[in-house]
Amino acid sequence: MDTSRLFQPMKLGKVEVAHRIGLAPMSRFRADDDHIPTPLMKEYFSQRTAVPGTLLFTDVNLVSPAAGAVPNAPGIWNKEQIAAWKEIIDEVHRKGCFIFGQIGAFGRLGNPESLEKAGHKLTAPSPIAREGALVPQSMTIEEIKQMVQDFVKAAQNAIEAGFDGVEFDGDNGLLIDQFTQDISNQRNDEYGGSIENRSRFTYEIAKAVADAIGPERVGHRISPWSRFNSMRMKDPIPQFTDVINKLSSIGIAYIHLIEPRIWGDVLVDTSIESLDFAFEAWKGPILIAGGYTPELARKVVEDHGDRDVLVTFGRPFIANPDLIYRVKKGLEFNHYDRPTFYTAQEPRGYIDYPFSSEYSASIESS
Ligand SMILES: Cc1cc2nc3c(=O)[nH]c(=O)nc-3n(C[C@H](O)[C@H](O)[C@H](O)COP(=O)(O)O)c2cc1C
């Protein structure tokens, strides 16, 4: 039985989780063709509530039809989507767990054909393409202001659906990240050209959403060192320090960091890059992800004994619905099957990973 700090409760805004391991946000493309969450997704999240008091994150939700139109990604702009999420959230709460909705927009990573069908264009801060993709059009100031409003509406919808909070997807080269880093933002208006201007999009979203739903229900996720999706400015430290300082001034609940060793969903060799700067700049609770094993998770939580740190697991949680139970009891993990990570609407590789026999027996005897 694991009695380490990993299994001590922790406060995150108004929520108190029972332990410090969570399900990382992961896009699995099991929503329907209208971006409505499905019963399959309810089953998936329900399975991952095996241990009460667990914090779950959803796939990134499109904030509006203009936010990328990525096929089978869930959305949170209409009544049907809110109602479908409510079913999932109610199930998670019934099992004694918590769930934050991740929200975001894809910018230059959007799907050009689906966007066109929905009457929208592929847009981004600047006409700079991700490697191998189409060149996006620059967003007008009007489009930027509209997108900020889309985030606010999505956050309000998320709260209406019953989510315990929302997290902005500011990582992995999505729209917020595209505004933040000079590698994808070469604007010379108030949204580009300086550190302060590149932080403006994040700040405006965070401030407006915090005003609308309360800062204690808001978190922000970043991957300052990742090269995934053609990202990574030369020196991310001053830029992301500024973002963190601005978020501190708003008083959001936490920041969620991705380790340098992970680019998107693959492990890479990075030895000199570190998140220490973020731990220095941000004084509140920190969530962290990227290549964690139970040992590394225990260590990071203990190493920052004076701070509240919660580790989110991605790929291992895909393959182990009872991951928390396995960590607690020191059980082996199932291996994940990468080819089914993103297979649209497929139950296979989504809800068919086995629970441990020990967990199943514990449920039968209780
Ligand atoms: C299938 C898959 C989908 C992902 N989708 C998202 C996403 O929607 N939003 C996000 O912030 N991160 C996303 N990520 C990144 C994970 O949240 C996590 O940071 C990454 O997998 C590293 O953690 P791990 O080593 O425990 O897998 C995704 C990762 C995977 C494997």
Side-chain angles (χ1 to χ4, degrees):
M1 178 71 100
D2 191 321
T3 55
S4 70
R5 200 156 177 263
L6 204 53
F7 284 91
Q8 305 297 316
M10 170 176 150
K11 277 199 88 157
L12 207 59
K14 292 218 159 108
V15 162
E16 184 169 285
V17 294
H19 57 80
R20 294 156 191 241
I21 309 174
L23 169 68
M26 282 184 288
S27 294
R28 306 297 309 280
F29 305 111
R30 266 69 173 188
D32 75 10
D33 294 340
D34 294 320
H35 308 285
I36 300 172
T38 53
L40 194 60
M41 292 169 67
K42 181 174 173 185
E43 175 64 22
Y44 168 83
F45 285 106
S46 179
Q47 288 178 350
R48 279 148 191 83
T49 61
V51 172
T54 300
L55 177 64
L56 309 179
F57 284 93
T58 66
D59 323 47
V60 58
N61 278 273
L62 299 164
V63 292
S64 63
V70 178
N72 302 106
I76 185 104
W77 68 83
N78 67 33
K79 293 224 165 331
E80 293 76 17
Q81 293 158 348
I82 297 171
W85 270 124
K86 186 173 185 321
E87 292 239 340
I88 298 174
I89 296 163
D90 287 351
E91 168 69 6
V92 169
H93 287 161
R94 197 179 64 75
K95 303 281 266 312
C97 291
F98 307 99
I99 184 162
F100 273 51
Q102 199 185 48
I103 59 174
F106 282 74
R108 68 181 184 176
L109 308 181
N111 184 295
E113 297 83 40
S114 317
L115 276 167
E116 204 183 322
K117 266 192 226 151
H120 296 283
K121 293 172 299 197
L122 187 73
T123 56
S126 298
I128 304 168
R130 166 181 56 156
E131 207 185 323
L134 286 183
V135 179
Q137 290 186 19
S138 280
M139 288 171 82
T140 62
I141 294 284
E142 209 184 1
E143 285 169 335
I144 295 173
K145 301 278 181 208
Q146 182 57 53
M147 189 54 78
V148 173
Q149 286 316 307
D150 290 352
F151 269 83
V152 174
K153 188 72 195 137
Q156 288 171 323
N157 289 345
I159 297 306
E160 185 185 330
F163 278 116
D164 296 295
V166 298
E167 175 175 280
F168 308 130
D169 189 329
D171 61 80
N172 285 329
L174 269 75
L175 183 63
I176 291 177
D177 207 11
Q178 290 163 36
F179 268 98
T180 307
Q181 301 202 44
D182 61 10
I183 195 164
S184 45
N185 178 352
Q186 284 167 16
R187 300 180 72 95
N188 49 25
D189 58 10
E190 67 262 42
Y191 290 97
S194 67
I195 286 180
E196 168 136 40
N197 284 352
R198 282 188 298 270
S199 301
R200 193 177 308 283
F201 188 59
T202 307
Y203 177 77
E204 287 187 354
I205 290 173
K207 179 80 176 76
V209 170
D211 285 347
I213 66 167
E216 72 285 355
R217 297 194 217 241
V218 177
H220 187 64
R221 192 167 205 234
I222 54 173
S223 55
W225 297 103
S226 175
R227 288 180 195 272
F228 187 53
N229 285 325
S230 312
M231 294 310 288
R232 170 78 129 80
M233 64 194 295
K234 206 156 175 241
D235 182 3
I237 293 181
Q239 181 67 57
F240 282 91
T241 302
D242 187 63
V243 166
I244 292 171
N245 289 340
K246 297 219 155 65
L247 295 171
S248 299
S249 75
I250 301 170
I252 66 168
Y254 69 89
I255 56 168
H256 193 168
L257 307 171
I258 302 182
E259 290 279 3
R261 59 181 171 242
I262 283 285
W263 297 351
D265 63 9
V266 288
L267 204 56
V268 289
D269 178 24
T270 48
S271 30
I272 46 162
E273 299 163 346
S274 150
L275 292 171
D276 287 354
F277 81 92
F279 273 85
E280 272 158 41
W282 180 261
K283 304 296 176 217
I286 290 193
L287 275 55
I288 195 160
Y292 275 92
T293 58
E295 294 67 38
L296 288 172
R298 247 172 245 122
K299 184 165 165 16
V300 74
V301 168
E302 301 284 350
D303 284 354
H304 297 281
D306 56 335
R307 305 287 298 270
D308 273 330
V309 176
L310 182 149
V311 181
T312 59
F313 279 73
R315 293 160 301 169
F317 221 147
I318 288 178
N320 296 276
D322 56 348
L323 179 124
I324 316 286
Y325 183 87
R326 290 180 192 239
V327 173
K328 204 169 187 176
K329 302 281 176 178
L331 304 175
E332 292 263 294
F333 284 180
N334 301 322
H335 286 291
Y336 54 80
D337 173 49
R338 188 177 282 274
T340 50
F341 277 1
Y342 307 108
T343 40
Q345 293 187 287
E346 258 284 332
R348 204 166 48 92
Y350 192 54
I351 54 161
D352 55 356
Y353 286 103
F355 288 78
S356 61
S357 51
E358 290 85 344
Y359 175 77
S360 302
S362 78
I363 290 298
E364 271 159 35
S365 65
S366 68

